[in-house]
């Protein structure tokens, strides 16, 4: 195998921001310093590389010098840390109400419901989401 390095087309401040979030998370859960295979910065690069390149975790893990299992663990930890920064739906809706927003798009959110009648020309049901394997609609 031949190792090589490449540029990640993500601004350095973004990597540093995620790195700070990961370091704070590690302190919060009591991770001893130096006990991880990757430091927060290299973990941030692994996570952002996965988001940016949309490739296998195994490839990014090998390039970072860690196992596939550790790569998945670090990736999911990073996703959880990032998700913790997002406001929840109730906060967003309250902010929209304060600002007088008339419409909100809950992009990609399937609101499950009972089956409703209606079929396309192809015979598939209008209200069935094959992705979610459930009946529902995207409420806007």
């Amino acid at each position: 195998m031949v190792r090589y390095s490449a540029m990640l087309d993500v601004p350095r401040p973004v990597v540093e921001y995620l790195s700070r979030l990961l370091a704070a998370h590690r302190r919060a859960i009591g991770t001893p310093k130096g006990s991880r295979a990757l430091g927060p910065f290299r973990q941030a690069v692994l996570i952002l590389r996965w988001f940016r390149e949309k490739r296998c975790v195994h490839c990014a893990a090998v390039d970072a010098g860690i196992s596939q299992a550790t790569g998945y663990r670090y990736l999911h930890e990073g996703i959880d840390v990032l998700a913790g920064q997002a406001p929840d739906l109730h906060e967003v809706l309250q902010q929209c109400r304060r600002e007088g927003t008339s419409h909100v798009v809950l992009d990609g959110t399937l609101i499950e419901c009972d089956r409703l009648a209606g079929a396309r020309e192809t015979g598939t049901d209008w209200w069935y989401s094959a992705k979610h394997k459930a009946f529902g609609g995207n409420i806007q």
Side-chain angles (χ1 to χ4, degrees), residues 44 100 110 129:
L110 180 78
S129 169

Side-chain angles (χ1 to χ4, degrees), residues 3-4 42 49 58-66:
R3 295 196 80 172
Y4 71 96
R42 288 188 59 211
R49 180 178 172 198
H58 173 73
C59 299
V62 167
D63 289 346
I66 58 176

Side-chain angles (χ1 to χ4, degrees), residues 15-37:
V15 181
E16 290 170 347
Y17 174 73
L18 178 53
S19 179
R20 286 191 302 273
L21 291 176
L22 291 167
H25 171 73
R26 289 179 181 190
R27 282 191 302 275
I29 63 172
T31 303
K33 223 177 175 116
S35 65
R36 296 282 191 108

Side-chain angles (χ1 to χ4, degrees), residues 7 50 84:
M7 293 290 275
W50 182 79

Side-chain angles (χ1 to χ4, degrees), residues 89 106-114 116 127 129 132 134-140:
L89 179 60
L106 304 175
D107 189 33
T109 301
L110 180 78
I111 308 299
E112 290 193 31
C113 65
D114 292 335
L116 301 172
W127 296 96
S129 169
H132 296 93
F135 288 93
N138 186 346
I139 308 300
Q140 298 182 13

Side-chain angles (χ1 to χ4, degrees), residues 6-118:
M7 293 290 275
L8 182 62
D9 62 340
V10 174
R12 187 174 184 90
V14 172
V15 181
E16 290 170 347
Y17 174 73
L18 178 53
S19 179
R20 286 191 302 273
L21 291 176
L22 291 167
H25 171 73
R26 289 179 181 190
R27 282 191 302 275
I29 63 172
T31 303
K33 223 177 175 116
S35 65
R36 296 282 191 108
L38 297 179
F41 188 87
R42 288 188 59 211
Q43 183 181 358
V45 169
L46 175 113
I47 294 160
L48 293 170
R49 180 178 172 198
W50 182 79
F51 275 120
R52 193 75 184 128
E53 296 177 354
K54 299 177 185 163
R55 292 201 182 154
C56 67
V57 175
H58 173 73
C59 299
V62 167
D63 289 346
I66 58 176
S67 71
Q68 181 176 345
T70 301
Y72 273 104
R73 196 175 75 239
Y74 282 7
L75 172 65
H76 290 287
E77 179 182 48
I79 292 170
D80 290 344
V81 166
L82 284 171
Q85 298 300 302
D88 75 354
L89 179 60
H90 296 290
E91 292 173 30
V92 171
L93 292 175
Q94 287 174 353
Q95 179 181 352
C96 289
R97 180 175 287 153
R98 283 192 304 270
E99 294 173 359
T101 304
S102 61
H103 293 81
V104 178
V105 177
L106 304 175
D107 189 33
T109 301
L110 180 78
I111 308 299
E112 290 193 31
C113 65
D114 292 335
R115 182 178 177 170
L116 301 172

